[in-house]
């Protein structure tokens, strides 16, 4: 029998679990009858176009499209020695039982199929699949070896994996040269089936924020007080738009304010609804990445790497590349076993209700919502030798593990309608009936943070004795959407919406590939990150400009189109691949006018008049590394405030920036505008006095 794993560490785990020693002379595990070897990730990679035909070395429109009849794979030169060993063992055991134990996901499936095919084997009738979600402890491996499935049962998964691989190759190897040629071959413009759509979404958000013009709106706030001194606020209802804001201060809002100031008599009607809030669910990889990005500023790739280490090296975490946030119906004993193992060491477990660890609790155990692998759960204590970053990831998973089996939070949501003459104001109060899991969350808050006084006041507010103290009209300004961060981009890729629509679409990529997509965008210099926010670069906007010149190539930058392809990939990989091939053929038929790429820069250098470009950490003169050298530079962070590209443009035009939130050396915050002194070549501040500004009312519309 032969066992093929994806990584050396996994082969070692199998060797230990099955008591099969490592033979140094041969370089694999063997006891004479059973042998274990491993890949090293991808042993093969898809060949480049020039490997099919040397003429493809030099890009030209005439050679496009490049559509292979059969895809060629080249050896990864760094692993050639291992390829030879794996090929030898596959051929040796071609008539024996072969167990495929590569990672239990689409990528692991493709890796194994390619190695098998490149070894010259085609018959998989004697091949079986090892597929588990738990960390590969000896017990899990032994149990998994008793529950092997015929490899044929994973043929559909393999088809989807190859179709995805071929489609990504077709898009990259055709549209990248196509767009690069349209740019006059002055810059290489990589195009990707999913990454370009994500890039377009980032650029669109940047433009929305940049071009957003704040609009004023007004609210009339009624200040209420009960006999115990508790305070609450209610907003004037606007019958014209059925909302609680007014586009201008004239008319109805002014009349309501004037009337209430003269007539304090009110009547209060209440409506109470009992509501419940479920505890947080167990984590999928994407959810873990979102939380790690928010709490520790870890990139998606780093979080996956850390989770993989907890799974493979420390064996204290379940299989990380999972899209699921539930366990299967049959995983109750697994959950209970791990709960009993961990509960005494972690005080948070005291808030759990063990009666919730039951098959009937679909919040945790739901086979209908299980996809490939169960949710992330801790499987053992994390060793002290683990890094702090590994411990951080482990603790996030552990926290959600215990929270998931805590009682629900029950609260009463009370709606107050305050009538003042013909005018109506609305307030919403929440009263906690049963804290449930929220009590544990409060304990976990930084420094044991407690509810603020305002929350306590609302919790105890007595509407039966409330009076109207006064009303005020508050002017507010609309705000734009927020720039994408790692967390919001992952959420967007998991649940994208169509342009100009709230319609939910099929997710983009997989939990295991989303982080890599973001890394590639940075690698290609299409985006830069500043204060956790993603910004499309000048190069990115140029690519998108070229793509949108052609209605066909514009589709590759469409979230809607990309999600349709993702849906087609899942339902019919054969149809999906045919659609991509036809799409590529149609794209390269037309040759729009060539537009030579030339970096425009943000403005002129005040020292030498050359162009000023944007870098990852600064804005600098194009001659910073040329002769005659120019040392002009503006860093993106000054006085603990962020200098955006728009700010840099204003500074280069000898104008002031908008108001920036700064911090002094002592950490004390203040407001200031920046300008650039061309004599000293330094940033200068104009301090803004904010003490006299009136505090605006909460709960404003955005």
């Amino acid at each position: 029998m032969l066992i093929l794993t994806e990584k050396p560490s996994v082969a070692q785990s199998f060797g230990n679990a099955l008591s099969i020693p490592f033979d140094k002379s041969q370089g694999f595990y063997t006891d004479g009858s059973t042998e274990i070897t491993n890949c090293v990730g991808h042993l093969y990679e898809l060949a480049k176009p020039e490997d099919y035909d040397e003429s493809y070395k030099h890009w030209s429109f005439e050679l496009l499209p490049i559509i292979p009849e059969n895809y060629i794979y080249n050896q990864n030169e760094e692993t050639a020695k291992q390829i030879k060993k794996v090929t030898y063992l596959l051929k040796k055991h071609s008539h024996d039982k072969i167990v495929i134990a590569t990672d239990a996901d689409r990528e692991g499936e493709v890796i194994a199929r390619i190695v098998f095919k490149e070894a010259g084997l085609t018959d998989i009738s004697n091949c079986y699949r090892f597929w588990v979600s738990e960390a590969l402890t000896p017990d899990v491996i032994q149990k998994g070896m008793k529950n092997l499935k015929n490899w044929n049962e994973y043929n559909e998964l393999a088809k989807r994996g190859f179709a995805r691989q071929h489609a990504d190759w077709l898009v990259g190897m055709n549209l990248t040269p196509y767009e690069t040629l349209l740019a006059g071959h002055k810059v290489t413009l990589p195009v990707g089936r999913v990454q370009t759509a994500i890039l377009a979404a980032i650029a669109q958000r940047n433009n929305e924020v940049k071009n957003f013009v704040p609009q004023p709106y007004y609210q009339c706030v009624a200040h209420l007080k009960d006999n115990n001194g508790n305070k609450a606020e209610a907003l004037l209802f606007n019958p014209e738009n059925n909302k609680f804001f007014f586009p201008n201060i004239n008319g109805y809002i002014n009349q309501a304010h004037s009337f209430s100031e003269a007539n304090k008599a009110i009547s209060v009607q209440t409506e109470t609804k009992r509501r419940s809030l479920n505890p947080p669910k167990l984590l999928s990889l994407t959810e873990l990445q979102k939380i790690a990005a928010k709490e520790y500023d870890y990139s998606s790739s780093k979080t996956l790497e850390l989770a993989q280490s907890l799974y493979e090296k420390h064996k204290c975490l379940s299989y990380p590349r999972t899209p699921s946030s539930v366990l299967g119906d049959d995983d109750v004993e697994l959950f209970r076993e791990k709960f009993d193992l961990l509960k005494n060491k972690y005080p948070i477990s005291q808030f759990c209700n063990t009666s919730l660890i039951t098959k009937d609790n679909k919040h945790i155990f739901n086979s209908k919502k299980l996809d490939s692998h169960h949710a992330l759960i801790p499987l053992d204590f994390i060793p002290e030798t683990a890094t702090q970053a590994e411990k951080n990831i482990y603790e996030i998973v552990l926290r959600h593990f215990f929270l998931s089996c805590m009682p629900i939070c029950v609260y009463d949501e009370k709606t107050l309608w305050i009538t003042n003459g013909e005018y109506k104001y609305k307030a919403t109060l929440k009263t906690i009936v049963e804290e449930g899991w929220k009590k544990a969350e409060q304990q976990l808050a930084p420094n044991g943070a407690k509810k603020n006084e305002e929350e306590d006041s609302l919790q105890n507010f007595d509407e039966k004795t409330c009076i109207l103290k006064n009303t005020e009209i508050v002017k507010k300004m609309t705000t734009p959407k927020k720039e994408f961060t790692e967390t919001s981009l992952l959420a967007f890729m998991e649940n994208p919406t169509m342009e100009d629509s709230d319609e939910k679409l099929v997710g983009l990529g997989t939990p295991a590939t989303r982080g890599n997509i973001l890394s590639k965008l940075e690698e290609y210099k299409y985006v830069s990150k500043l204060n956790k926010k993603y910004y499309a670069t000048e190069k990115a906007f140029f690519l998108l400009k070229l793509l949108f010149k052609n209605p066909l190539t514009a589709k590759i930058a469409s979230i809607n189109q990309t999600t349709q392809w993702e849906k087609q990939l899942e339902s019919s990989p054969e149809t999906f691949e045919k659609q991509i091939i036809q799409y590529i053929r149609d794209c390269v038929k037309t040759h729009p006018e060539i537009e030579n790429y030339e970096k425009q820069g943000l403005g002129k250098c005040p020292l030498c008049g050359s162009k000023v470009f944007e870098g990852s950490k600064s804005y600098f003169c194009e001659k910073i590394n040329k002769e005659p050298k120019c040392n002009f530079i503006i860093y993106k962070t000054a006085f603990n405030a962020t200098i955006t590209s728009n700010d840099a443009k204003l500074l280069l035009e000898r104008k002031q920036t908008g108001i920036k939130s700064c911090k002094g050396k002592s950490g004390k915050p203040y407001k200031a505008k920046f300008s650039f002194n061309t004599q000293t070549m330094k940033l200068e501040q104009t301090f803004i006095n904010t003490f006299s500004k009136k505090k605006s009312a909460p709960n404003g519309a955005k």
Side-chain angles (χ1 to χ4, degrees):
M1 178 172 69
L2 173 67
I3 301 173
L4 176 66
T5 72
E6 188 169 323
K7 304 177 184 73
S9 59
V10 180
Q12 184 181 32
S13 296
F14 270 81
N16 293 339
L18 304 177
S19 300
I20 299 173
F22 184 73
D23 188 327
K24 289 184 179 180
S25 64
Q26 298 191 76
F28 53 83
Y29 297 82
T30 179
D31 63 1
S33 60
T34 298
E35 294 177 330
I36 307 170
T37 190
N38 60 271
C39 303
V40 188
H42 287 270
L43 295 181
Y44 294 89
E45 55 191 16
L46 278 169
K48 295 178 180 178
E50 53 264 34
D51 295 320
Y52 294 87
D53 189 326
E54 285 194 5
S55 62
Y56 290 140
K57 279 186 177 180
H58 306 287
W59 291 350
S60 70
F61 288 119
E62 291 71 29
L63 294 174
L64 300 176
I66 305 169
I67 314 286
E69 287 187 19
N70 295 295
Y71 288 88
I72 301 172
Y73 289 88
N74 286 336
Q75 293 185 6
N76 185 330
E77 294 303 322
E78 295 178 0
T79 57
K81 186 177 179 180
Q82 190 65 19
I83 290 173
K84 188 175 180 180
K85 191 184 303 177
V86 170
T87 302
Y88 160 73
L89 288 171
L90 283 170
K91 288 181 176 180
K92 176 183 175 182
H93 292 274
S94 60
H95 298 294
D96 301 330
K97 181 178 182 180
I98 297 177
V99 176
I100 303 300
T102 49
D103 282 2
D105 57 20
R106 191 169 69 184
E107 200 70 12
E109 190 66 22
V110 169
I111 286 172
R113 299 268 176 161
I114 293 172
V115 170
F116 198 82
K117 179 176 176 292
E118 291 299 315
L121 306 181
T122 56
D123 181 11
I124 65 171
S125 59
N126 64 325
C127 297
Y128 297 85
R129 192 63 162 98
F130 178 92
W131 189 283
V132 300
S133 294
E134 298 177 62
L136 297 177
T137 60
D139 287 346
V140 169
I141 290 173
Q142 290 164 14
K143 181 181 176 182
M145 289 295 291
K146 294 175 182 177
N147 293 284
L148 300 173
K149 292 184 179 180
N150 194 291
W151 204 12
N152 281 312
E153 294 187 31
Y154 296 86
N155 287 346
E156 283 302 311
L157 179 66
K159 287 179 182 178
R160 290 197 291 272
F162 280 113
R164 193 277 309 162
Q165 187 187 64
H166 296 165
D168 289 351
W169 189 95
L170 288 166
V171 170
M173 297 304 168
N174 282 281
L175 293 190
T176 295
Y178 180 75
E179 297 302 330
T180 300
L181 289 166
L182 288 178
H185 226 313
K186 295 289 184 71
V187 62
T188 301
L189 297 173
V191 178
R193 185 179 58 85
V194 177
Q195 74 185 35
T196 302
I198 298 301
L199 176 62
I202 294 170
Q204 180 181 339
R205 180 63 57 85
N206 293 158
N207 279 331
E208 287 173 354
V209 174
K210 176 183 176 182
N211 299 321
F212 182 82
V213 179
Q215 298 294 325
Y217 67 94
Y218 302 86
Q219 291 182 320
C220 186
V221 183
H223 296 281
L224 309 171
K225 186 178 181 181
D226 68 10
N227 281 352
N228 296 317
N230 295 314
K231 300 175 183 178
E233 293 178 349
L235 296 178
L236 177 66
F237 177 72
N238 184 353
E240 292 185 6
N241 59 20
N242 293 325
K243 295 181 180 179
F244 297 89
F245 67 88
F246 299 79
N248 55 64
I249 202 171
N250 299 320
Y252 194 86
I253 188 172
N254 243 337
Q255 295 167 15
H257 174 57
S258 300
F259 183 85
S260 65
E261 290 301 289
N263 303 275
K264 303 291 185 182
I266 59 172
S267 64
V268 182
Q269 289 181 313
T270 63
E271 180 185 27
T272 302
K273 292 183 179 180
R274 178 66 53 90
R275 300 193 183 279
S276 60
L277 192 61
N278 282 325
K281 294 182 76 68
L282 296 171
L283 296 177
S284 65
L285 173 60
T286 299
E287 285 301 316
L288 173 64
Q289 289 170 321
K290 285 156 61 176
I291 295 170
K294 184 177 181 180
E295 294 187 5
Y296 298 107
D297 198 23
Y298 292 164
S299 70
S300 306
S301 300
K302 180 176 181 178
T303 297
L304 175 56
E305 180 185 329
L306 292 168
Q308 197 75 25
S309 178
L310 293 172
Y311 167 69
E312 289 182 7
K313 181 180 177 182
H314 300 304
K315 295 179 173 50
C316 60
L317 186 69
S318 61
Y319 186 73
R321 298 167 185 258
T322 174
S324 302
S325 58
V326 292
L327 299 182
D329 294 343
D330 297 329
D331 291 324
V332 176
E333 288 310 311
L334 169 65
F335 189 99
R336 189 183 299 277
E337 175 192 328
K338 302 310 173 187
F339 181 89
D340 290 341
L341 172 70
L342 300 166
K343 65 181 181 181
N344 292 331
K345 185 174 180 180
Y346 299 100
I348 184 180
S349 65
Q350 66 182 298
F351 297 101
C352 297
N353 182 350
T354 54
S355 68
L356 295 173
I357 307 175
T358 169
K359 187 176 181 179
D360 296 329
N361 184 359
K362 297 306 177 187
H363 184 71
I364 303 176
F365 309 100
N366 193 339
S367 292
K368 290 182 179 179
K369 293 186 177 181
L370 190 63
D371 185 359
S372 301
H373 298 281
H374 66 60
L376 286 161
I377 62 170
L379 299 175
D380 205 343
F381 300 106
I382 187 168
E384 290 299 323
T385 54
T387 65
Q388 185 57 52
E390 289 172 335
K391 291 176 181 177
N392 291 340
I393 295 299
Y394 178 83
E395 286 169 8
I396 293 173
V397 176
L398 183 85
R399 181 171 77 216
H400 279 255
F401 174 75
F402 284 121
L403 284 169
S404 71
C405 60
M406 291 184 188
I408 60 175
C409 171
V410 180
Y411 64 95
D412 285 338
E413 185 176 83
K414 187 182 295 183
T415 301
L416 274 57
W417 282 101
I418 293 90
T419 303
N420 178 229
E422 65 178 281
Y423 306 104
K424 288 191 174 183
Y425 298 80
K426 181 184 178 182
T428 302
L429 310 178
K430 291 182 180 180
T431 304
I432 300 294
V433 179
E434 297 174 17
E435 277 191 289
W437 65 273
K438 281 286 186 180
K439 187 174 183 180
E441 186 184 58
Q442 194 68 30
Q443 296 284 331
L444 292 169
N447 302 319
K450 302 297 180 184
K451 290 184 289 187
N452 59 39
E453 291 182 7
E454 183 181 350
E455 288 177 327
D456 287 334
S457 177
L458 291 174
Q459 173 84 5
N460 300 314
F461 190 80
D462 179 12
E463 74 280 359
K464 295 177 182 178
T465 63
C466 78
I467 60 171
L468 173 64
K469 290 179 59 184
N470 67 292
T471 62
E472 66 171 330
I473 295 176
V474 178
K475 179 182 178 181
K476 296 186 177 182
M477 303 296 288
T478 57
T479 57
K481 295 178 181 178
K482 294 182 179 180
E483 301 283 13
F484 278 120
T485 62
E486 187 105 8
T487 300
S488 59
L489 266 176
L490 286 169
F492 178 77
M493 284 190 272
E494 188 175 34
N495 291 301
T497 55
M498 279 198 331
E499 295 88 341
D500 305 318
S501 169
D502 291 330
E503 180 186 346
K504 290 287 176 70
L505 302 168
V506 177
L508 298 171
T510 66
T513 61
R514 287 168 188 151
N516 189 44
I517 290 169
L518 300 182
S519 297
K520 280 188 175 181
L521 291 176
E522 289 190 78
E523 178 188 335
Y524 296 148
K525 308 297 183 186
Y526 280 147
V527 298
S528 61
K529 280 179 74 174
L530 184 62
N531 292 339
K532 299 185 180 182
K533 298 174 183 176
Y534 279 88
Y535 296 92
T537 63
E538 186 179 319
K539 180 182 177 183
F541 280 108
F542 182 80
L543 167 65
L544 294 171
K545 179 182 177 182
L546 288 183
L547 289 171
F548 284 111
K549 286 173 71 174
N550 180 345
L552 282 169
T553 55
K555 288 184 178 181
I556 204 71
S558 164
I559 292 293
N560 187 23
Q561 178 63 67
T562 306
T563 55
Q564 286 181 29
W565 279 329
E566 291 283 306
K567 187 175 181 180
Q568 188 67 63
L569 172 60
E570 289 301 312
S571 62
S572 175
E574 296 90 349
T575 302
F576 162 76
E577 193 167 344
K578 287 177 182 177
Q579 287 182 349
I580 292 292
I581 289 172
Q582 188 57 51
Y583 171 72
I584 294 298
R585 291 186 190 280
D586 293 340
C587 280
V588 300
K589 279 181 183 177
T590 57
H591 298 166
E593 184 179 347
I594 290 175
E595 185 171 341
N596 287 321
Y597 176 71
E598 184 177 352
K599 292 185 75 173
Q600 298 301 310
L602 298 171
K604 290 185 178 180
C605 172
L607 286 178
C608 69
S610 301
K611 293 178 182 177
V612 173
F613 294 138
E614 179 178 358
S616 59
K617 297 181 180 179
S618 65
Y619 307 98
F620 56 88
C621 178
E622 65 177 323
K623 290 189 175 180
I624 198 164
N625 290 318
K626 299 179 181 178
E627 294 297 337
K629 191 173 183 179
C630 178
N631 292 321
F632 173 78
I633 191 169
I634 298 175
Y635 288 100
K636 287 188 173 182
T637 302
F639 309 105
N640 283 298
T642 299
I643 309 294
T644 67
S645 57
N646 285 337
D647 293 330
K649 288 178 182 177
L650 290 170
L651 294 171
L652 294 172
E653 293 170 2
R654 314 293 194 271
K655 297 177 182 178
Q656 276 192 330
T657 67
I659 298 175
K660 313 296 291 184
S661 298
C662 309
K663 281 186 181 179
K665 292 181 179 179
S666 65
K668 187 176 181 180
Y670 64 91
K671 303 284 187 181
K673 291 184 177 182
F674 296 160
S675 57
F676 192 77
N677 188 320
T678 55
Q679 301 298 319
T680 63
M681 288 294 151
K682 292 182 178 179
L683 284 180
E684 293 186 345
Q685 302 179 79
T686 301
F687 297 99
I688 307 298
N689 184 356
T690 59
F691 295 106
S692 62
K693 289 195 174 183
K694 196 170 188 179
K695 184 180 178 182
S696 60
N699 304 321
K702 293 293 182 186

